[in-house]
Amino acid sequence: MPVRIPDDSDFSSFKDQCLSPDGWNSRYNKGGVTVWCREEDRSSVQKIKMRIVCKDVTAETLYDVLHDTSYRKKWDTNMIDTYDIGRLTVNTDVGYYSWKCPTPLKNRDFVTMRSWLPLGSDYMIINYSVKHPQHPPKKDYVRAVSLLTGYLIQSNSATSSTLYYLTQVDPRGSLPKWVVNRVSQFVAPKAMRKIYKASLKYPDWKRKHNPTLKPWMYPEQNTLPSISPADLTLQRADSLENIDESGVSEEKAQNSEDEET
């Protein structure tokens, strides 16, 4: 299937999902982080939504942190690799991201088309998985599929903001139920707090690392090669290998997670 670059209606729909309580069930609410889950009628893959209030962090800073791949390598300890592949428009690009899963689960990776939109005091970044002919699935990874993933950042004041993260990802594997539960109860809240802490440190870091380089805000700085939408196709989950990891024990994964933290 051909890809479609998101338009204003896609961003509006995404914002509505972030802000609407309809159909969402609270799974976690502690330490300033709230996590909701929602089952989707037409999909076996549930949606997860998170919110954190970020005191002493402006909306603009959060937006920069989520865009800045150089800085991401400093704070995202679950990330193995990330890089930009090319651009389609001034506010849409294609990139690669791989992340560590708890041992003995296989590591996952994505190729996604990402679009962003600053709108008044709101900032949005959304993505979904695509196929790029020069970036096929890799032997040592499970190619996961983002059906829809993104961030909504809202400014609360001159010094405070709220971050929403919404994701519907097919991990391509028959994962045990404890993995799904741990994502909402442990992994997701930890990830939100990590973004918050990274955002507090970002202004000082950025002052020392190409302070004027922000291609997500200044398109003329973008040096990525151009990609035509015709070069891409929608990544369908059923075209990828589906591995069975349902027998993986929680104890083994817990041990590997403890070593990492």
Side-chain angles (χ1 to χ4, degrees), residues 6-20 24 38 47-50 115 117 123-127 146-153 163-168:
D7 58 22
D8 288 351
S9 67
D10 295 300
F11 283 103
S12 178
S13 170
F14 177 77
K15 180 179 175 180
D16 288 346
Q17 290 185 67
C18 287
L19 299 180
S20 172
W24 294 94
R38 186 169 85 182
K47 282 182 179 174
I48 295 177
K49 177 170 70 172
M50 292 168 267
S115 295
L117 183 68
Y123 298 83
M124 285 175 278
I125 306 170
I126 59 178
N127 77 53
S146 168
L147 302 170
L148 174 66
T149 297
Y151 299 93
L152 166 66
I153 305 161
L163 172 65
Y164 292 86
Y165 174 66
L166 185 150
T167 183
Q168 186 181 21

Side-chain angles (χ1 to χ4, degrees), residues 30-191:
K30 196 187 297 181
V33 179
T34 308
V35 181
W36 299 268
C37 295
R38 186 169 85 182
E39 304 296 332
E40 295 297 299
D41 293 338
R42 291 173 293 173
S43 174
S44 59
V45 184
Q46 69 173 357
K47 282 182 179 174
I48 295 177
K49 177 170 70 172
M50 292 168 267
R51 181 186 66 201
I52 184 170
V53 176
C54 300
K55 297 174 184 175
D56 301 317
V57 176
T58 66
E60 293 89 344
T61 296
L62 265 176
Y63 186 61
D64 289 349
V65 167
L66 294 171
H67 270 290
D68 198 329
T69 52
S70 296
Y71 187 58
R72 188 168 200 124
K73 291 163 185 174
K74 298 284 182 187
W75 64 266
D76 189 351
T77 53
N78 292 320
M79 184 184 75
I80 299 171
D81 193 16
T82 187
Y83 53 83
D84 299 323
I85 295 170
R87 58 178 166 149
L88 291 99
T89 68
V90 292
N91 69 325
T92 301
D93 64 15
V94 174
Y96 174 86
Y97 178 85
S98 55
W99 98 94
K100 285 183 282 192
C101 290
T103 315
L105 297 175
K106 280 194 165 188
N107 295 327
R108 262 63 177 175
D109 69 356
F110 297 90
V111 172
T112 60
M113 185 173 77
R114 179 183 63 162
S115 295
W116 54 94
L117 183 68
L119 200 61
S121 59
D122 293 343
Y123 298 83
M124 285 175 278
I125 306 170
I126 59 178
N127 77 53
Y128 65 84
S129 285
V130 295
K131 282 163 94 169
H132 188 289
Q134 294 172 6
H135 298 271
K138 298 182 178 183
K139 188 177 105 177
D140 297 331
Y141 292 87
V142 175
R143 178 63 49 91
V145 178
S146 168
L147 302 170
L148 174 66
T149 297
Y151 299 93
L152 166 66
I153 305 161
Q154 294 196 304
S155 178
N156 300 331
S157 69
T159 58
S160 174
S161 54
T162 299
L163 172 65
Y164 292 86
Y165 174 66
L166 185 150
T167 183
Q168 186 181 21
V169 166
D170 187 336
R172 298 315 295 150
S174 302
L175 296 175
K177 191 169 180 59
W178 64 261
V179 171
V180 179
N181 290 336
R182 182 176 292 178
V183 166
S184 61
Q185 298 292 327
F186 178 78
V187 179
K190 186 178 176 184

